[in-house]
Amino acid sequence: MFEKLKEIMLQYIDVEESEITEDSRFVEDLGFDSFSVMTFVGDLEDEYDIEIDERAIAEVRTVGDMIKYIEKLQKESK
């Protein structure tokens, strides 16, 4: 999942793929703004067939947090 997330993220940010780690923070480290976050979230919903709660996404700070959140949603939808 980490590799796929990086692939999607690189459409929105101008950083080297090698700079993205699970500890990378979306805004502070990777340069996401509110528009790119929401568009990115839409892509994740399509890719993983999930529905992301906008309030919950405010608590997702790092790439690792996002992976855990997506995995949680996938388990809940089964």
Side-chain angles (χ1 to χ4, degrees), residues 39-66:
T39 310
F40 171 60
V41 165
D43 283 352
L44 294 178
E45 289 177 325
D46 293 343
E47 177 68 29
Y48 294 103
D49 194 28
I50 55 175
E51 189 169 323
I52 296 175
D53 184 321
E54 289 181 25
R55 292 179 303 259
I57 205 69
E59 303 300 316
V60 174
R61 302 268 186 248
T62 68
V63 174
D65 291 344
M66 182 64 80

Side-chain angles (χ1 to χ4, degrees), residues 6 10 13-21 30:
K6 285 198 298 189
L10 288 169
I13 55 176
D14 188 25
V15 299
E16 293 296 319
E17 182 176 351
S18 61
E19 293 179 43
I20 302 172
T21 68
L30 301 176

